[in-house]
Amino acid sequence: MDFAIALGLIFGLAAVGAGIGNGLVVSRTIEGVARQPEARGGLMGLMFLGLGLVEAVPIIAVAIGFMLMGRLG
Amino acid sequence: MEQFSLSMRTIARYIFLLFSMVVVCWLFMPQRVFFQGLLLGIFVSMCNGFILYVKTVQAGEMALNPGRRMRSLGMLPRFLLAGFAVYVSFKMPHIFSFYGVVAGLPTVPVLTLLVTIYYHISTKKK
């Protein structure tokens, strides 16, 4: 029971962190594009990179959660 | 916008090159289960990258036309795809290696980072 709660916390906190990070990245990008529309290409490339890197962390957290489930559960 | 499309095309080319190299390794090396897992991870990463590309383009259009609204960033389907790949490798360890899938999942972000760093270094030299 405790183990299941710990796994849920791992997945949930990782998703919350990624959600906050994604929100920050997208809001800053949209702000930048609205201020300077000619820089749209570069900003969107940076947004793609930022979103990908932010989301790599929860994906790894999911993998670690499954690994712990296999080892300890 | 053209710069973004160009960099996406470059990244896609490198990913397909990496995918073909892994297929060649899968054919000629004895660690077949690991490479099958790696192929699954890279494939899921490519799908995630495509969803991210579509959503990024939509966000850019939304910034220019505030009348249009975006429903989501596609985070849920991407997480579900990655979780499904990890779950499959966890349930079928004789077909897909867990470590291979985990190594293949962050392929697109890592390649994007490398291509961006290379692009910045090469443009600074000029």
Side-chain angles (χ1 to χ4, degrees):
Chain A
M1 180 66 185
D2 292 343
F3 185 66
I5 293 173
L7 275 182
L9 275 177
I10 289 177
F11 295 160
L13 286 178
V16 165
I20 294 171
N22 276 351
L24 286 175
V25 170
V26 174
S27 73
R28 295 293 191 272
T29 308
I30 288 177
E31 217 175 277
V33 174
R35 276 188 191 172
Q36 215 175 344
E38 66 272 11
R40 184 178 162 204
L43 287 174
M44 276 163 66
L46 284 177
M47 177 180 156
F48 184 84
L49 174 65
L51 287 182
L53 287 179
V54 163
E55 284 186 3
V57 178
I59 287 172
I60 291 169
V62 168
I64 288 174
F66 273 110
M67 210 159 72
L68 288 178
M69 200 166 81
R71 293 264 164 89
L72 306 175
Chain B
M1 191 62 195
E2 280 171 18
Q3 183 191 351
F4 179 62
S5 309
L6 196 71
S7 59
M8 287 299 113
R9 235 174 282 157
T10 312
I11 291 163
R13 203 166 48 218
Y14 282 124
I15 288 169
F16 280 116
L17 184 70
L18 182 75
F19 196 82
S20 58
M21 278 165 63
V22 174
V23 168
V24 170
C25 289
W26 172 73
L27 276 175
F28 293 110
M29 286 178 80
Q31 296 91 356
R32 288 219 153 184
V33 177
F34 176 77
F35 284 113
Q36 281 162 359
L38 197 59
L39 284 174
L40 177 68
I42 294 175
F43 180 72
V44 169
S45 184
M46 280 160 66
C47 294
N48 280 347
F50 180 71
I51 296 173
L52 190 58
Y53 169 72
V54 171
K55 292 292 175 181
T56 308
V57 171
Q58 283 179 1
E61 282 174 7
M62 195 192 75
L64 289 181
N65 308 318
R68 292 184 66 173
R69 296 202 68 173
M70 222 173 107
R71 280 173 187 250
S72 76
L73 269 177
M75 206 167 120
L76 189 66
R78 273 178 278 148
F79 279 0
L80 285 179
L81 263 176
F84 179 71
V86 173
Y87 181 75
V88 164
S89 72
F90 189 68
K91 283 290 172 190
M92 292 189 271
H94 55 286
I95 301 177
F96 300 111
S97 161
F98 177 78
Y99 296 106
V101 173
V102 173
L105 278 177
T107 308
V108 171
V110 170
L111 265 178
T112 311
L113 183 66
L114 291 178
V115 168
T116 309
I117 290 172
Y118 175 73
Y119 175 76
H120 278 281
I121 290 173
S122 61
T123 47
K124 259 190 178 180
K125 273 184 184 171
K126 287 173 188 173

